[in-house]
Amino acid sequence: MKELVLSARHAMGRKVEGHALVANDGLSARYDLNRLTGVFSRPAHKLVGQSYVGRILVLDTAKGGVASAWMLHEMQSRDMAPLAIVFNSVNTILVQGAALAGIPMLAGFDEDVTACVPHGAWVEVDPAVGTLRVLDPQGRASASASASDAESHGTQSNMSKVRFVERG
């Protein structure tokens, strides 16, 4: 079985696996997430209504200031945090927030990560080696990821710039 592997220039945290929530949208922990219910709450966000708790967020960029950073810590203290966050680009404030909350993070890819990772895929974030691996594009526990899901979240297939490795 071949799997997709993307390399990040910036990484921190522990290795985790989980379902990916993918959108070519930004993330402000303050304005996009409801930290009490655990769902994307801003109506204009492409993931509105979806739970981010225990998911790996794969998004375009980080938005927001200091409040975004401390909200990640608060979410983690309530067990209402994402499992990891993956960005094409990130700001220092969100990096500080993720570090304070102990949320693994990857950022800085040569490819548009939101176009390469299927929405709902089962992925591995391994900051020690700086990689995001798509282990199962369909997701292990859910077959809900489909082409129409990917299109509705702004993702498109762009696999020509990424490498595939054989997995035993």
Side-chain angles (χ1 to χ4, degrees):
M1 175 181 179
K2 289 187 175 185
E3 62 186 31
L4 173 66
V5 180
L6 300 165
S7 296
R9 288 183 290 281
H10 312 289
M12 67 176 189
R14 69 191 183 289
K15 183 177 175 179
V16 295
E17 286 186 19
H19 284 281
L21 284 184
V22 182
N24 62 353
D25 207 338
L27 173 70
S28 165
R30 180 174 185 184
Y31 296 113
D32 294 335
L33 307 178
N34 182 323
R35 65 186 189 276
L36 302 177
T37 63
V39 298
F40 279 84
S41 57
R42 185 171 57 87
H45 200 283
K46 293 177 179 170
L47 297 175
V48 66
Q50 295 196 41
S51 175
Y52 59 82
V53 178
R55 301 294 176 104
I56 296 174
L57 304 182
V58 180
L59 298 164
D60 185 44
T61 189
K63 301 183 298 186
V66 176
S68 242
W70 67 257
M71 285 187 172
L72 290 175
H73 181 265
E74 181 186 352
M75 289 175 203
Q76 188 71 299
S77 70
R78 295 173 180 250
D79 291 327
M80 300 286 286
L83 191 58
I85 307 173
V86 177
F87 290 114
N88 282 317
S89 62
V90 67
N91 64 32
T92 55
I93 297 295
L94 207 65
V95 170
Q96 292 172 343
L100 177 65
I103 299 172
M105 179 179 283
L106 296 175
F109 296 86
D110 290 334
E111 308 82 17
D112 178 355
V113 69
T114 67
C116 296
V117 177
H119 181 74
W122 188 264
V123 300
E124 173 194 87
V125 170
D126 189 350
V129 292
T131 59
L132 172 67
R133 291 178 177 266
V134 177
L135 302 175
D136 182 349
Q138 301 301 313
R140 287 185 179 166
S142 170
S144 63
S146 67
S148 62
D149 279 347
E151 290 173 12
S152 70
H153 294 94
T155 58
Q156 301 173 350
S157 179
N158 182 18
M159 307 255 182
S160 63
K161 297 178 181 177
V162 299
R163 69 186 165 104
F164 291 86
V165 297
E166 288 293 330
R167 185 169 176 230

